[in-house]
Amino acid sequence: MSDLWRLTAHEAHEGLRTRQFSAVELTQSTLDRIDAVEGAVHAFITPTPELARQQAEEADRRFASGTATPLTGIPVGVKDLIVTGGVQTTAGSRILEGFNPPFDSHVYEQIRRAGAVMVGKTNLDEFAMGSSTEHSAYGPTHNPWNLELVPGGSSGGSAAAVAAGECIISLGSDTGGSIRQPAALCGVVGFDPTYGRVSRYGIVAFGSSLDQVGPIGRDVRDAATMLDAIGGHDPRDSTSNPEPMPDLRQYLGQDIRGLRVGVPREYFGYGIEDGVRASVEKAIATLESLGCTVDRELSLPSTEHALAVYYLIAPSEASANLARYDGVRYGFSDRDASTMWENIEHTRGSGFGAEVKRRIMLGTYALSAGYYDAYYKKAQQVRTVIHREFEEAFKRYDVIVTPTSPTVAFPIGAKTDDPYAMYLNDIFTLPSAVTGLPAISLPCGLSDNLPVGVQVIGNFFDEGSVLRVAHALETAIGFANRLPEIAPGTP
Amino acid sequence: MTATATRYETIIGLEVHVQLLTNSKMFCSCAADYSGAEPNTHVCPVCLGAPGVLPVINERAIELISLTGLALHCSIAPFSKFDRKNYPYPDLPKGYQISQYDLPICAGGYLDVVTADGPRRVGITRIHMEEDTGRLLHRVDPVTGEGYSLIDLNRAGAPLMEIVSEPDIRTPAEAREYLVRLRQILRYIGVSTANMEDGQMRCDANISLRPVGQAEFGAKVEVKNMNSFRAVHDALVFEELRQAEALDRGERIPQETRGWVDDRAVTVSQRTKEEASDYRYFPEPDLPPLRFNEAYLESLRASLPELPEAKRNRFLALGLSDHEAETLVETRDRAEFFEALKARIGGDEQRATKLAANWVLGEVGRWANETGQNLADLPATPEKLAKLIQMAEEGAITAAAAKEVFSAVAESGEDPATVVEKRGLATISGDDELTAVVRDAIAGNAQAVADYHAGKESAIKFLVGQVMRATRGRADPQKATDLLAAELDSK
């Protein structure tokens, strides 16, 4: 019974449904695992064991009364960018330290309704700005595959927690790759749905036209199960898609013969590591052997511009989104100041970290009078060009397959002094992010004993095709739910 | 013609902010009517600018601004959007205001005003939608003597439209006239209470002078902080003179913002152009653009009431004087009461028009002034009042009695005939009864009789007065005069 934390959500659900164990036992197993490895991994900012036990008891009552869902009783980690009523929500920032929200985000409401058990709020780069989870005001998260490496980011805590067995599924958010890249670096599945598929209500805003919540799990089925629970229309988010979401699990276990797969040649440059290339090539060959038509002639020439587009639009939106943190109404406030303006300046000066300040300055500059046309407006125009390229491609392909990240996990501290090198780590996740397309990352092998992720990008609101291909590929590769051994006694 | 008008031409443009009469705020479900409420009781996470919240457009506000645009002859943009206006201030919870920058909902309209030099058409540049800010309350600690500020966010997020005029206004009197006409229209179409005193309508003025005959405009001074039509007028008079004197001295007028100080009757410099903010407008990513179709606009057009100008022209055509027509259309309920009354009186249209106008401008208007109530709440409905007028016209009651009956009906809502009967107010019809009263008057007023016989014709008026008093106004004054003359002359 002590290894219950190793189960996937669908395995755990089967055990709960057939009364092999209770939700309280499953949760306790996960909490014990957290006690054992959290000191080494540091996946959480705020663990919530009391709440978890309470929700587990409630879950057991739902199994008894026959109102359980596939998520009922499943231990879940929630990225600390997601507002959870009554539970501190920091966004990884000192400026929100102690902020206890009086309301729930849509996604937290949804997983509670489904009966999930929240074991804690996971670590992230401050305000989701980063690719390594090193830019957290609460210390870095360590990669469970090698504790000296980063887990990726910004949803590094969510990915590491799933890989380390500290929760079974987690919620992350993706603005430029923040679900997929850490999922790749931690050897788990991360799914960034179509922009508008999941309500952003209660997601601490970073880049509003890019932010999207999605699941991180140990296999494709678990990711689909979580997206089923959180997706769909929410009138509180005007950018939420009004169409009802189909039952996504119907796409799992389907034949993918005859599906058209595009492999864009631009996605094999940018310093891609040989091990990553080899692993992804193997996955592409697997797709061919499964009967897909793979076309390697696809070209998406604007790919390289996605980075510039992203680093103009996301910081511009962030410069406005983060203006509300002034210490007046909530969160951290520097009370030693002698005037109102000094109070606001000091609060922001010591409340925000260096990367956040860098992006606020970038965005403020890009929107300034005289620079707007050259930067923000130009970026939006190029964004449209990238959008059109994908639109054209999806007339010919059902999915596009690429590596998720050019590298495997890198050492903590390796890129913190070189923001541009850090930004380049998202080069393969940025184009679909600025377009709003659905994209999943799933593990496709190891390189130097570190996981490599392959990315499957689908057309707008065609999460079905993405899941169909990802599930078939996962089955053929056989990597699902492979968890690393965490050296006992490490820091 | 003002004192400076021979040397300089005054150019004025007005920016008017109007709070819309919606049930809820612009982007959340808080009640929009916060008047008299305790500070910070009409607030929610959305209008408090909590992390992660999102705006949802109030559809009714969009209807009201579109109606305003149609009433002011604007074109309604088929495609419009919201933008973020960035500036830090503690009364602005998000650090940006959701407003509209380059694609306002309404543009290119006009408002006709009547000026001392005849009619003038003032162009409306644009009308855009935005959210209101909160309010800062500045206090002084009675013990320490230190100043501090409190924030009330009840008003934050209330729907506000800004109506920007072309620089077509030439005198302070015209500016006031523009505001009066604008307020009249806003109230007619029911989009706002448009009270300047309680801030439902706010006005900033741009004013510049140029030498007569010069084509280009002089430097523009923006005047703020005017809380009544009178203040707008007085501030503009002050500015006109201040700028003319400066120009006379050969000084350059700096482009700046000045504040009107009401108790000192002066404007003072607040900030110069160099200190002006860069608002870094960019499209609001949380709200999809607005698209207006013709069917929607057609239904709005159909719901517009007849506007004051059209009504005034129609009333003039009925034979009313300028003054009568103007006064009748001043408020919509007065004009509508007049029309209802005229219709109930019926018969010859000119006669009905005259009678209805006399009553509405007389007794009915007096009642409204004295009680401060709306005519819709007057118990003497047009139906009852028409009956009363009919009785007076037929001689069943005298004019004096009619006023008394009106007061009674306005109080109780009783039927006029019932009041006449209960109070015995019917005109004395029998000659015998009146002759007896006449003889009593002659017998009791020897001095007046003597004066009459001495050739003082006016003495008979005194005696008529005595008769009227004795009959409590029920005597026909002409008949009383005739009878008195006959009695006196027969002596």
Side-chain angles (χ1 to χ4, degrees):
Chain A
M1 293 296 255
S2 61
D3 272 2
L4 292 177
W5 56 267
R6 285 186 179 277
L7 300 173
T8 63
H10 52 93
E11 289 164 351
H13 178 69
E14 200 49 29
L16 290 166
R17 196 182 61 79
T18 55
R19 307 292 195 278
Q20 293 172 46
F21 48 83
S22 68
V24 168
E25 288 168 315
L26 174 63
T27 295
Q28 193 52 52
S29 164
T30 306
L31 294 176
D32 290 345
R33 175 69 178 170
I34 292 174
D35 283 344
V37 302
E38 175 62 5
V41 178
H42 186 45
F44 292 97
I45 291 175
T46 310
T48 54
E50 291 310 314
L51 179 67
R53 287 191 191 97
Q54 212 178 302
Q55 290 178 339
E57 283 170 19
E58 173 60 24
D60 281 328
R61 284 194 288 276
R62 288 183 65 163
F63 274 101
S65 67
T67 57
T69 78
L71 271 187
T72 303
I74 304 298
V76 169
V78 175
K79 188 178 185 178
D80 209 19
L81 195 72
I82 297 169
V83 170
T84 45
V87 178
Q88 176 184 246
T89 300
T90 70
S93 181
R94 189 180 173 213
I95 211 159
L96 277 175
E97 193 167 1
F99 172 58
N100 202 342
F103 66 105
D104 283 334
S105 54
H106 177 77
V107 291
Y108 185 52
E109 249 173 38
Q110 293 299 102
I111 64 167
R112 282 180 59 158
R113 192 168 297 158
V117 170
M118 183 169 83
V119 295
K121 300 296 294 290
T122 60
N123 200 10
L124 68 155
D125 288 297
E126 185 177 359
F127 286 103
M129 296 177 184
S131 310
S132 68
T133 316
E134 291 165 289
H135 300 305
S136 166
Y138 303 90
T141 295
H142 300 257
N143 192 317
W145 289 81
N146 179 335
L147 295 169
E148 282 162 19
L149 307 183
V150 301
S154 66
S155 310
S158 290
V162 171
E166 296 184 85
C167 62
I168 291 181
I169 320 186
S170 63
L171 287 178
S173 73
D174 197 310
T175 303
S178 281
I179 288 175
R180 294 162 287 161
Q181 185 258 15
L185 270 49
C186 290
V188 291
V189 176
F191 194 5
D192 173 20
T194 315
Y195 181 81
R197 183 57 101 189
V198 181
S199 169
R200 293 185 292 116
Y201 186 81
I203 309 308
V204 175
F206 162 21
S208 309
S209 70
L210 301 148
D211 298 340
Q212 191 62 193
V213 174
I216 295 177
R218 304 227 185 98
D219 65 11
V220 173
R221 181 175 295 275
D222 279 7
T225 301
M226 179 55 100
L227 184 53
D228 255 334
I230 60 173
H233 184 238
D234 174 17
R236 291 172 299 185
D237 175 1
S238 302
T239 62
S240 149
N241 188 280
E243 297 297 314
M245 192 174 63
D247 181 349
L248 296 173
R249 278 161 300 165
Q250 65 178 298
Y251 298 100
L252 307 177
Q254 281 190 18
D255 192 357
I256 59 168
R257 209 165 309 174
L259 276 188
R260 300 161 303 167
V261 177
V263 179
R265 58 174 103 100
E266 289 81 4
Y267 282 69
F268 291 86
Y270 304 101
I272 186 170
E273 292 172 356
D274 292 343
V276 171
R277 181 198 301 270
S279 214
V280 173
E281 290 290 0
K282 228 173 103 189
I284 292 166
T286 305
L287 286 173
E288 267 180 317
S289 72
L290 289 171
C292 292
T293 321
V294 174
D295 181 2
R296 311 220 38 161
E297 292 307 304
L298 170 60
S299 173
L300 298 169
S302 299
T303 298
E304 63 169 322
H305 300 306
L307 187 116
V309 166
Y310 177 83
Y311 279 99
L312 287 168
I313 290 172
S316 293
E317 293 177 350
S319 73
N321 283 333
L322 270 59
R324 71 190 61 196
Y325 306 109
D326 55 11
V328 173
R329 283 147 296 136
Y330 45 74
F332 166 75
S333 189
D334 184 330
R335 294 291 179 199
D336 292 336
S338 57
T339 69
M340 179 188 79
W341 289 111
E342 210 177 279
N343 170 222
I344 293 173
E345 281 168 23
H346 289 190
T347 297
R348 292 170 68 82
S350 54
F352 287 139
E355 183 61 24
V356 170
K357 287 179 191 164
R358 177 165 25 245
R359 298 204 196 187
I360 290 174
M361 282 189 281
L362 266 176
T364 303
Y365 184 79
L367 291 173
S368 296
Y371 298 98
Y372 179 90
D373 286 354
Y375 295 113
Y376 180 83
K377 196 174 167 194
K378 178 73 75 179
Q380 288 291 15
Q381 288 164 341
V382 177
R383 188 182 194 177
T384 307
V385 172
I386 298 172
H387 189 118
R388 289 215 189 100
E389 271 182 21
F390 274 114
E391 252 176 6
E392 281 305 308
F394 280 111
K395 287 179 184 164
R396 290 180 287 142
Y397 308 105
D398 296 300
V399 294
I400 291 171
V401 174
T402 77
T404 305
S405 169
T407 71
V408 292
F410 46 90
I412 289 175
K415 298 183 182 183
T416 40
D417 294 333
D418 186 354
Y420 189 67
M422 187 78 92
Y423 296 173
L424 270 176
N425 214 258
D426 289 332
I427 187 73
F428 299 148
T429 49
L430 289 171
S432 58
V434 300
T435 316
L437 294 165
I440 202 167
S441 175
L442 66 149
C444 60
L446 295 175
S447 166
D448 290 336
N449 284 320
L450 291 172
V452 173
V454 59
Q455 176 174 233
V456 182
I457 306 170
N459 205 347
F460 295 102
F461 300 103
D462 188 14
E463 279 84 4
S465 292
V466 173
L467 288 169
R468 204 175 144 191
V469 171
H471 188 254
L473 189 55
E474 176 185 74
T475 308
I477 294 172
F479 195 98
N481 200 19
R482 195 193 291 186
L483 302 181
E485 289 310 315
I486 296 172
T490 28
Chain B
M1 182 74 78
T2 53
T4 59
T6 48
R7 284 164 288 144
Y8 302 109
E9 189 183 17
T10 304
I11 311 291
I12 297 169
L14 298 179
E15 293 170 9
V16 178
H17 283 92
V18 178
Q19 230 179 63
L20 294 174
L21 267 177
T22 53
N23 291 328
S24 54
K25 289 187 179 180
M26 189 61 219
F27 298 116
C28 63
S29 53
C30 289
D33 182 7
Y34 50 80
S35 56
E38 286 290 301
N40 300 310
T41 53
H42 283 239
V43 292
C44 71
V46 174
C47 56
L48 281 173
V53 296
L54 296 168
V56 176
I57 297 171
N58 182 334
E59 198 178 337
R60 180 67 180 150
I62 302 299
E63 254 172 55
L64 296 182
I65 189 176
S66 306
L67 270 179
T68 308
L70 293 173
L72 294 173
H73 313 282
C74 291
S75 54
I76 309 297
F79 180 88
S80 182
K81 68 175 168 67
F82 284 97
D83 299 277
R84 289 186 183 178
K85 178 180 181 180
N86 296 287
Y87 67 94
Y89 211 71
D91 66 6
L92 187 64
K94 297 189 295 297
Y96 60 85
Q97 179 188 34
I98 304 179
S99 180
Q100 296 194 287
Y101 183 52
D102 55 343
L103 293 173
I105 293 175
C106 318
Y110 62 84
L111 175 63
D112 286 328
V113 300
V114 179
T115 75
D117 304 330
R120 182 188 289 284
R121 178 159 288 186
V122 177
I124 306 286
T125 315
R126 58 184 281 163
I127 311 176
H128 71 251
M129 189 78 246
E130 59 189 31
E131 57 179 336
D132 212 339
T133 63
R135 273 193 295 200
L136 288 185
L137 310 166
H138 303 289
R139 300 276 164 81
V140 174
D141 188 312
V143 180
T144 65
E146 273 183 47
Y148 64 98
S149 299
L150 300 172
I151 306 175
D152 177 9
L153 293 173
N154 281 349
R155 196 180 71 178
L160 204 59
M161 65 178 171
E162 181 174 345
I163 305 171
V164 182
S165 88
E166 289 287 312
D168 289 345
I169 299 166
R170 291 291 171 268
T171 67
E174 280 177 34
R176 178 163 56 191
E177 175 66 9
Y178 169 88
L179 292 173
V180 168
R181 298 274 169 188
L182 181 61
R183 181 179 65 183
Q184 184 184 34
I185 289 175
L186 297 173
R187 288 178 176 173
Y188 254 75
I189 60 179
V191 299
S192 175
T193 60
N195 286 323
M196 254 189 114
E197 286 67 24
D198 53 23
Q200 301 288 313
M201 181 167 165
R202 287 162 245 164
C203 176
D204 298 334
N206 291 306
I207 175 169
S208 66
L209 265 56
R210 64 182 171 194
V212 169
Q214 180 183 301
E216 60 268 27
F217 292 135
K220 185 173 77 176
V221 169
E222 184 176 14
V223 189
K224 290 179 175 288
N225 213 21
M226 301 163 293
N227 298 320
S228 65
F229 289 174
R230 180 200 51 77
V232 172
H233 175 265
D234 293 356
L236 289 172
V237 168
F238 176 87
E239 262 308 296
E240 202 173 36
L241 198 63
R242 184 188 71 84
Q243 293 185 26
E245 286 173 355
L247 290 170
D248 281 347
R249 290 192 298 268
E251 290 170 21
R252 195 182 58 88
I253 305 286
Q255 184 172 331
E256 62 178 342
T257 301
R258 299 178 69 86
W260 171 247
V261 185
D262 207 65
D263 49 4
R264 285 166 50 211
V266 295
T267 66
V268 295
S269 181
Q270 288 182 330
R271 62 169 191 250
T272 62
K273 191 194 173 193
E274 288 67 36
E275 302 164 65
S277 313
D278 174 1
Y279 293 120
R280 304 191 308 279
Y281 281 99
F282 73 100
E284 167 57 271
D286 289 332
L287 295 172
L290 301 166
R291 287 181 175 82
F292 293 85
N293 62 40
E294 202 37 54
Y296 174 78
L297 295 179
E298 206 39 64
S299 75
L300 284 183
R301 240 175 244 127
S303 72
L304 270 183
E306 186 181 30
L307 295 175
E309 199 189 346
K311 265 201 201 305
R312 183 168 48 237
N313 290 338
R314 209 158 44 74
F315 289 0
L316 287 173
L318 290 170
L320 292 171
S321 72
D322 273 356
H323 177 74
E324 286 169 330
E326 190 60 55
T327 313
L328 284 173
V329 302
E330 196 174 299
T331 66
R332 184 172 163 185
D333 74 334
R334 187 185 298 159
E336 287 179 348
F337 192 95
F338 162 74
E339 297 214 72
L341 180 58
K342 176 170 112 26
R344 299 279 180 189
I345 294 170
D348 177 62
E349 184 161 33
Q350 274 202 325
R351 179 181 147 273
T353 299
K354 204 73 210 161
L355 284 169
N358 286 344
W359 274 88
V360 173
L361 298 175
E363 293 306 303
V364 172
R366 208 178 338 270
W367 176 87
N369 283 341
E370 280 166 8
T371 62
Q373 284 185 268
N374 290 325
L375 292 186
D377 301 325
L378 173 57
T381 58
E383 193 171 14
K384 286 174 184 154
L385 186 50
K387 275 191 199 165
L388 167 58
I389 292 169
Q390 210 56 46
M391 283 158 61
E393 282 298 286
E394 286 163 356
I397 52 175
T398 63
K403 288 186 184 180
E404 187 180 335
V405 176
F406 173 80
S407 298
V409 178
E411 184 83 16
S412 66
E414 276 176 295
D415 187 77
T418 314
V419 175
V420 169
E421 200 184 317
K422 274 205 320 212
R423 300 198 175 192
L425 289 172
T427 306
I428 298 170
S429 49
D431 281 1
D432 293 350
E433 192 185 346
L434 192 54
T435 304
V437 181
V438 163
R439 284 181 180 151
D440 284 351
I442 290 171
N445 293 283
Q447 185 58 50
V449 172
D451 287 348
Y452 178 81
H453 286 304
K456 226 173 146 187
E457 293 274 329
S458 65
I460 201 164
K461 285 189 181 150
F462 173 77
L463 291 168
V464 171
Q466 295 306 305
V467 170
M468 296 308 285
R469 216 165 92 181
T471 59
R472 291 183 21 253
R474 292 180 304 129
D476 178 339
Q478 191 53 53
K479 208 167 193 178
T481 310
D482 293 347
L483 279 174
L484 275 167
E487 285 290 325
L488 290 165
D489 292 345
S490 71
K491 294 272 158 89

